[in-house]
């Protein structure tokens, strides 16, 4: 069983333009398209059984359409859609209620694209509402190469949020901090926050990845790719260069995700 906890998906009519724009801004070449049909076929071909489909409410005005798309994916056997809200939206609470009632399991935040610091006081009530609904909150962690500093989800800022909501289900992507793994280990490894390993195979050695995962704990680590910017195949090859046992790899590749999402 393989669950990819971090894949980006867009409505068919927007996917090609969105991926082209993101690729130009970040300087990356995508491995596949990111429409749902393209991503579904790609994941199946790469041996993924289920994947978390992510889209981002980059502004309050896009919030409803992003969540309408997430809701349209509910009920498909191989996809777990997450919604997204913007903390500056006057409708954020209503959207969270709507998503929870429909059965959405998580909320995606990307503070660079949404343009707010993760520990912004205005965002705290939104996180509180997410905790009340039992949502998994998945954050882009650390730097994003499409944006200049200051980093809006630096590990020390993320730590303040996790400490504020000790019962929250937090996942900090990219080994807890893209291009900031030392800070991630120092600031977050002793918290209850999960990490995913998405995009890591393009950034750090397998040895360094294993060090970070051991610091956080295998039981708090999730397989993810950041597809279309990396692939399940690449990520599995990267994992194969580590000393993780078969049981530990099973935890990373699906067991932890199943428990966190309540899939069993």
């Amino acid at each position: 069983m393989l669950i990819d906890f971090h894949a980006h998906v867009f409505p068919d009519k927007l996917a090609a333009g969105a991926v082209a724009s993101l690729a130009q801004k970040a300087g990356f070449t995508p491995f596949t398209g990111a429409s749902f049909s393209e991503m579904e076929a790609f994941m199946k071909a790469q041996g993924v059984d289920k994947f978390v489909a992510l889209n981002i409410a980059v502004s309050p005005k896009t919030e409803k359409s992003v969540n309408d798309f997430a809701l349209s994916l509910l009920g498909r056997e191989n996809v777990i859609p997450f919604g997204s809200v913007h903390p500056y939206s006057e409708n954020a609470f209503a959207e969270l209620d709507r998503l929870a009632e429909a059965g959405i399991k998580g909320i995606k935040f990307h503070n660079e694209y949404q343009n707010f610091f993760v520990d912004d006081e205005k965002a705290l009530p939104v996180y509180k509402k997410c905790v009340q609904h039992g949502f998994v909150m998945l954050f882009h962690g650390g730097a994003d190469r499409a944006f200049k500093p200051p980093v809006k989800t630096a590990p020390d800022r993320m730590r303040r949020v996790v400490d504020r909501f000790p019962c929250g289900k937090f996942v900090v992507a990219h080994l807890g901090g893209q291009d900031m793994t030392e800070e991630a280990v120092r600031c977050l490894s002793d918290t209850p926050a999960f990490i995913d390993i998405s995009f890591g195979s393009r950034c750090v050695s397998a040895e360094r990845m294993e060090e970070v995962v051991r610091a956080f704990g295998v039981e708090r680590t999730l397989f993810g790719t950041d597809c279309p910017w990396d692939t399940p195949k690449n990520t599995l090859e990267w994992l194969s260069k580590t000393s993780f046992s078969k049981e530990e790899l099973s935890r990373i590749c699906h067991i932890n995700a199943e428990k966190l999402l309540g899939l069993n």
Side-chain angles (χ1 to χ4, degrees), residues 7-240:
H8 294 282
V9 183
F10 301 90
D12 285 1
K13 65 181 180 180
L14 301 177
V19 170
S21 175
L22 292 169
Q24 182 178 27
K25 189 169 185 177
F28 300 142
T29 300
F31 286 88
T32 183
S35 68
F36 177 74
S37 57
E38 289 171 308
M39 188 63 68
E40 183 179 42
F42 188 77
M43 287 291 174
K44 183 177 181 180
Q46 295 252 323
V48 174
D49 297 284
K50 295 179 184 291
F51 64 95
V52 174
L54 304 174
N55 202 347
I56 303 161
V58 296
S59 71
K61 69 180 181 180
T62 67
E63 191 175 66
K64 185 178 185 301
S65 62
V66 164
N67 291 327
D68 286 345
F69 176 57
L71 291 170
S72 76
L73 301 178
L74 280 172
R76 296 176 181 266
E77 184 178 357
N78 61 339
V79 63
I80 304 154
F82 275 22
S84 184
V85 295
H86 198 286
Y88 298 166
S89 168
E90 63 182 12
N91 297 315
F93 277 25
E95 282 295 287
L96 291 172
D97 289 341
R98 180 168 77 110
L99 294 168
E101 184 176 353
I104 293 289
K105 294 181 177 293
I107 304 297
K108 167 65 173 175
F109 296 97
H110 194 309
N111 299 81
E112 301 295 344
Y113 283 100
Q114 294 180 299
N115 195 28
F116 74 97
F117 286 96
V118 68
D119 55 349
D120 188 330
E121 287 290 328
K122 292 181 180 178
L124 300 182
V126 171
Y127 304 151
K128 182 178 180 179
K129 186 76 167 178
C130 288
V131 173
Q132 291 170 345
H133 278 308
F135 286 128
V136 175
M137 290 177 276
L138 174 57
F139 290 83
H140 172 91
D144 186 303
R145 295 177 187 180
F147 293 86
K148 295 179 180 180
V151 175
K152 292 182 170 60
T153 317
D156 59 339
R157 290 183 179 274
M158 191 74 236
R159 173 64 185 250
R160 295 183 196 119
V161 175
V162 176
D163 284 348
R164 187 74 172 262
F165 301 100
C167 295
K169 299 176 183 178
F170 293 99
V171 179
V172 191
H174 314 305
L175 292 168
Q178 173 72 45
D179 300 328
M180 303 178 75
T181 57
E182 289 186 11
E183 295 93 328
V185 169
R186 184 175 68 251
C187 296
L188 292 169
S189 63
D190 64 339
T191 75
F194 284 68
I195 57 170
D196 76 25
I197 63 172
S198 62
F199 201 68
S201 77
R202 300 190 67 183
C203 301
V204 301
S205 68
E207 180 182 17
R208 177 56 183 159
M209 176 265 288
E210 183 170 358
E211 291 173 350
V212 175
V213 171
R214 296 288 184 196
F216 276 85
V218 169
E219 70 281 357
R220 289 197 287 127
T221 302
L222 303 162
F223 182 92
T225 61
D226 207 17
C227 197
W229 313 113
D230 203 353
T231 72
K233 181 180 178 181
N234 288 345
T235 307
L236 287 171
E237 289 178 353
W238 182 55
L239 276 171
S240 73

